[in-house]
Structure formats: C-alpha cells, structure tokens
Amino acid sequence: MAEKSFKYVIVGGGVAAGYAAREFAKQGVKPGELAVISKEAVAPYERPALSKAYLFPEGTARLPGFHVCVGSGGERLLPEWYAEKGISLILSTEIVKADLSSKTLASAAGETFKYQILIIATGSTVIKLSDFGVQGADAKNIFYLREIDDADKLVEAIKAKKNLKAVVVGGGYIGLELSAALRVNNIDATMVYPEPWCMPRLFTAGIAAFYEGYYANKGVKIIKGTVAVGFGTNENGEVTDVKLKDGRVLEADIVVVGVGGKPLATLFKGQVEEEKGGIKTDAFFKTSVPDVYAVGDVATFPLKLYGELRRVEHVDHARKSAEQAVKAIFASEQGKSVDEYDYLPFFYSRAFDLSWQFYGDNVGETVLFGDSSPTSTTHKFGSYWIKDGKVVGAFLESGQDLLCFLGNKVILLDDFYIVCREESNGLILSFWVF
Ligand code: FDA
Ligand code: NAD
C-alpha cells in the first residue's frame, strides 16, 4: 500500500486533536502539511456530550451539533472545514504500530504514514471489569462509555425495551452522569461503588452528601461500600444480574460500568519516557523524543502551580494543552519561544438540573458554605480548600460564574463572595462569606 507523508501528524481524533487542528490553521499551516488520524469514524467532537445530552430522550444532541470547538464557544469544525484548510482527516484508521526512530506509523489496514513532527493525542481508554477477571464481565448489555460508538450502543439498548432495570458500577464521573441520564430516561437505576461516598477523588463527604441525597430523591438507588464480583447471564449471553461482594444480587437488563480510565500510551511503550502512567512532557508538551509531542489525557506534564508532574483527564486541559503544543511547534520553527504552560486545573460536570465547576487542587482543609440541603429548592453551595494558609481549590454547585484568583486575595463564587485577607507571608487571616 502507498506510503503517505506529512509534515505534521496528529494521532488521535478527539478533543485535543480537534483543538490542535484549529490552532494549526490559526498558525497558518499550509494545505497538505497536516493529517489527523483517528480510529473513530467521525471528525473530532466534544466528548463530554456523550454522557449528557447524547443520552437524553428530549433535547438530544447529535453530530454534527457538537463537533469541536463548540464546547468552548468556538467555531464548529465540520469535515468540510478540514477539507477547506487542506488538512487530511483520516478517519476509521487505527494506528497499530509506531516507530519513533524512523518517524513511521502503520495502520491496522496496512497503510504507512511518515511524519516530521508527531503529536500524540490518543487520550484514554476505559478500564474493563474483565481486566480484573470479574466473572461474566463480557456478557451482552454490559456497556462502557468512551467513544460515540459506545454511546450509540447504549442508546440502542435504552430504546430497545420498556421498564428496564439498570445497574451502574462505579461512583465517579461516569457513574454519576450515567445514573442521572438513565433516570432521565425513566429507567430504574442502582449505583454501586466501593467507597463511603461518591466521587471521592474530588468530593468531600459534605459535598457528596448533597449529591447522594439529590440522586436518591430522583429515584437513583445507591449501594456503597461494595463492588461487583460477577454477572449472571441468560441463554442469549445477555446480562441478567449483578453479584455484589457483600452477597447481594441485583437484577439488571443493562449494566453501565465506569470504574476509571487509563491513558493510551501502549503504542509508544519503550520508545518514549513515561511518568505516572502517561507520556512525560515538558511545559511545551514535548516528549523525551525529538519532534514528538503528547497532549490531552495521555500527557504527564509539569503543573507549574503545584511544582509537580501531573496528568489531567478533563476537557479544558485537552483543549489548552493542544493549543500550547501547536504554538510551541510554530514558535520553535521561527526560532522563537512561547511561555511555559501555566495551567490552573478546571473541571466540571452536569447531571439532572445540576451543574458544578471546580478550579485548583483539592488538598488541605475544606470549608463548605451555602445551602447544600438536597431537598432545598434553592440549593446553591460551594466549598473551598485551604493548604498552608492559602486557598488552593474552589468548588461551586448551581452558580453561574466561578472566578478564582487562587493564591490571591479574592475568590468570587457567583453571588457568594469569599474575601481572603492575606498577609505578606501568604497566610489568610479571615474569611467572610456573604
Ligand atoms: P480523547 O479521548 O478525546 O481522544 C482520543 C482520540 O484518539 C479518540 O478519537 C480515539 O479514538 C483516538 N485514538 C486512540 N488510539 C488511537 C490509535 N491507535 N489510532 C488512531 N486513533 C486513536 N471532561 C470534563 O472536563 N467535563 C466533562 O463533562 C467531561 N465529560 C466526559 C464524558 C465522557 C463520556 C468521557 C469519556 C470523558 C469526559 N470528560 C469530561 C473527559 C474529556 O472528554 C477528556 O479529558 C478529553 O476528551 C481528552 O481529550 P483527548 O483528545 O486527550 O482524548
Ligand atoms: P473515575 O475515576 O471518575 O471513577 C471510577 C469509580 O469507580 C470510582 O468511584 C472507583 O472507586 C469506582 N470503582 C473502581 N473499581 C470498582 C469496582 N470494581 N466496582 C465498583 N466501582 C469501582 O472514572 P470514570 O467515572 O470511569 O471516568 C472515566 C474517565 O472519563 C475519566 O478520565 C474521567 O475523567 C472521564 N470523565 C470525566 C467527566 C467529567 O469531567 N465531567 C465525565 C465523564 C467521564
């Protein structure tokens, strides 16, 4: 098969790839110079839509509605946009071999791609229960959610039968967003997770108490402190029940699993330096291999604010890291430089009519404020994290604007004002919340 050659290749066609392509266009990439190679069949889109409006029975989101860059209020990049810019959008093409020394990629179908500069934007994949040898974990109607094909299969199952019973395994992002989406579809939903409260990687017990109460009021049943250890199946190989470690057995027509993600770095194993499970980069997303960059979920980069290497699995960083890498590539070609990536982590989630946002780091002491009663019709609350006398993280549910100057004096959380008076040594003397 013929070999194709490009100046720049992006492997992966998700959020980071889409935002990188836009930045390439802004920087004046010439027709024929850039290729985006994706195993998905569609142009880059805003992945967060898959666990939200994509699953709703009304106001349903469908492509081309949520191609990048609409999620950040930007232009929607349809396949025609890539064609107009002379960017080769090579879809339904999985790269199965990468040889960084000869700058060559090979696809599952046997094509060869050469590049001068490579951007790795392969994102994450789901951790599967079959990875832990959970019995019956590959039964039919057990779903994971990462790509649009996964969402389509779930939508089909939701529509196939009435009065479905669903079990959601995992109490993190997927668990919380999917159990809400299932309830919105009027499906009987039970969430199961091992921790004492949901989303322990971010929520405090106080924050989680609101969501657990709110979900219970919406009819989501919650079982904590145990895990799924097996699945029963019928003669068609379809899941019928979920066996829990504590001995309980839950009936299930469908199961949605969200037990975490892992970065997709396997193609490059042994060829590039890794750190914390991801591909190690500098502040310009350059890897240890010349002319190879890594962005989005797969990159472990220096988080300047905290003075350590981190991986961030959220959409805001996917967008910004991609833009930073492309700016750095063009600057270095012109013998110039760009500022180091100085990222303030930002995550958000939406489920039911709830919406939260978080900035910073969730370490240290926490203070919960506002109305966090799950039964209140006027609920609106937040939390902030304090470490070494400084506000390092801020969370807000049901507000509009969360403006943070972490490490500075004032954080404005919608109509809550937290005033932190700082001494010259950085210690906060007092707070007022009003
Ligand atoms: P992303 O996963 O977007 O893209 C990777 C791409 O690479 C995919 O197209 C994949 O097919 C392709 N690929 C992988 N290996 C390949 C290979 N070998 N050959 C070719 N192509 C290959 N974040 C947030 O802040 N708020 C939110 O509400 C949500 N919601 C949300 C919902 C769901 C369902 C998921 C799965 C994730 C979120 N996220 C989120 C997280 C956010 O979507 C995520 O951090 C970004 O999509 C990461 O962008 P990347 O481009 O790094 O990976
Ligand atoms: P997660 O890490 O948020 O949550 C995993 C949950 O599963 C945890 O509560 C964990 O303890 C639990 N768990 C682990 N093993 C289990 C077991 N055997 N049985 C039951 N529960 C178990 O991961 P996720 O929710 O799967 O999300 C996957 C990826 O998608 C992440 O990268 C996440 O950042 C991303 N995502 C983000 C958003 C968002 O930012 N709003 C939304 C959806 C997905």
Side-chain angles (χ1 to χ4, degrees):
M1 231 176 254
E3 181 180 284
K4 289 185 181 148
S5 195
F6 298 93
K7 184 169 183 192
Y8 312 103
V9 167
I10 303 172
V11 187
V15 174
Y19 279 76
R22 182 178 66 167
E23 190 58 40
F24 267 108
K26 278 189 192 164
Q27 297 285 337
V29 73
K30 295 190 186 70
E33 284 187 333
L34 172 65
V36 177
I37 307 177
S38 177
K39 71 177 161 65
E40 291 191 84
V42 293
Y45 57 89
E46 302 283 2
R47 196 163 306 285
L50 296 184
S51 53
K52 304 175 187 68
Y54 203 82
L55 304 175
F56 295 168
E58 282 162 27
T60 321
R62 284 290 175 269
L63 288 177
F66 59 97
H67 280 299
V68 298
C69 302
V70 290
S72 58
E75 185 189 355
R76 189 162 50 121
L77 309 185
L78 300 172
E80 302 84 75
W81 177 89
Y82 297 85
E84 275 163 27
K85 301 284 175 202
I87 298 171
S88 301
L89 192 56
I90 304 171
L91 301 176
S92 305
T93 301
E94 183 176 9
I95 296 301
V96 292
K97 198 165 175 279
D99 181 355
L100 300 184
S101 57
S102 65
K103 297 190 165 188
T104 309
L105 307 170
S107 77
E111 298 138 300
T112 304
F113 302 97
K114 300 281 272 183
Y115 61 82
Q116 292 173 36
I117 293 181
L118 177 67
I119 300 184
I120 302 170
T122 42
S124 301
T125 188
V126 295
I127 294 174
K128 293 203 160 179
L129 288 177
S130 47
D131 298 345
F132 314 123
V134 174
Q135 182 218 341
D138 35 25
K140 287 183 194 149
N141 293 339
I142 299 183
F143 298 100
Y144 294 84
L145 182 59
R146 183 75 211 177
E147 298 189 346
I148 203 154
D149 283 355
D150 305 322
D152 286 338
K153 285 181 202 146
L154 183 57
V155 168
E156 202 182 307
I158 289 174
K159 286 186 176 160
K161 261 208 299 193
K162 288 223 175 319
N163 303 319
L164 285 173
K165 277 188 189 308
V167 172
V168 177
V169 179
Y173 286 98
I174 291 287
L176 283 166
E177 293 182 7
L178 267 290
S179 54
L182 292 167
R183 279 306 296 144
V184 171
N185 280 281
N186 214 17
I187 292 170
D188 180 293
T190 304
M191 267 175 98
V192 182
Y193 48 89
E195 296 94 351
W197 64 79
C198 63
M199 190 80 85
R201 69 190 243 192
L202 178 63
F203 292 176
T204 60
I207 295 176
F210 167 81
Y211 293 98
E212 291 178 357
Y214 195 93
Y215 273 53
N217 291 339
K218 291 280 187 189
V220 177
K221 286 164 252 168
I222 296 179
I223 299 179
K224 304 193 244 185
T226 191
V227 291
V229 289
F231 298 93
T233 51
N234 63 18
E235 61 285 2
N236 298 325
E238 292 158 342
V239 71
T240 51
D241 58 70
V242 184
K243 297 172 200 345
L244 303 184
K245 197 174 183 183
D246 67 7
R248 276 184 274 189
V249 177
L250 309 172
E251 258 184 76
D253 303 297
I254 58 173
V255 173
V256 178
V257 184
V259 295
K262 53 183 177 194
L264 265 177
T266 35
L267 271 178
F268 311 98
K269 267 231 160 335
Q271 302 185 63
V272 65
E273 222 176 297
E274 290 188 46
E275 187 78 40
K276 296 185 175 169
I279 297 175
K280 188 179 170 191
T281 75
D282 66 9
F284 309 99
F285 296 98
K286 261 182 170 162
T287 69
S288 59
V289 177
D291 300 328
V292 179
Y293 292 72
V295 294
D297 278 14
V298 82
T300 303
F301 64 97
L303 222 164
K304 200 174 169 185
L305 198 58
Y306 308 130
E308 61 179 55
L309 289 170
R310 295 232 187 139
R311 240 176 20 82
V312 173
E313 293 177 359
H314 294 280
V315 74
D316 179 62
H317 161 71
R319 295 167 178 156
K320 290 180 176 156
S321 58
E323 289 168 357
Q324 168 77 353
V326 177
K327 282 179 187 156
I329 289 168
F330 276 82
S332 80
E333 285 175 353
Q334 291 156 15
K336 294 184 192 154
S337 63
V338 292
D339 289 340
E340 289 182 336
Y341 193 60
D342 189 5
Y343 186 60
L344 173 65
F346 167 64
F347 327 140
Y348 71 90
S349 179
R350 287 193 289 273
F352 293 119
D353 52 353
L354 302 173
S355 169
W356 62 255
Q357 357 171 15
F358 171 81
Y359 281 90
D361 211 10
N362 57 323
V363 290
E365 304 283 306
T366 58
V367 180
L368 188 70
F369 61 89
D371 176 359
S372 60
S373 162
T375 50
S376 165
T377 51
T378 54
H379 62 257
K380 186 180 212 175
F381 70 97
S383 189
Y384 50 94
W385 281 257
I386 305 157
K387 191 174 172 236
D388 301 330
K390 285 193 170 173
V391 175
V392 293
F395 176 96
L396 179 68
E397 167 58 54
S398 297
Q400 294 298 316
D401 303 308
L402 176 63
L403 184 69
C404 302
F405 301 100
L406 298 185
N408 266 324
K409 288 189 181 170
V410 179
I411 304 176
L412 165 64
L413 295 146
D414 198 56
D415 52 2
F416 296 105
Y417 294 82
I418 303 173
V419 182
C420 316
R421 196 151 65 83
E422 278 191 51
E423 288 271 271
S424 55
N425 64 4
L427 282 182
I428 293 163
L429 292 182
S430 50
F431 307 95
W432 297 274
V433 180
F434 52 95

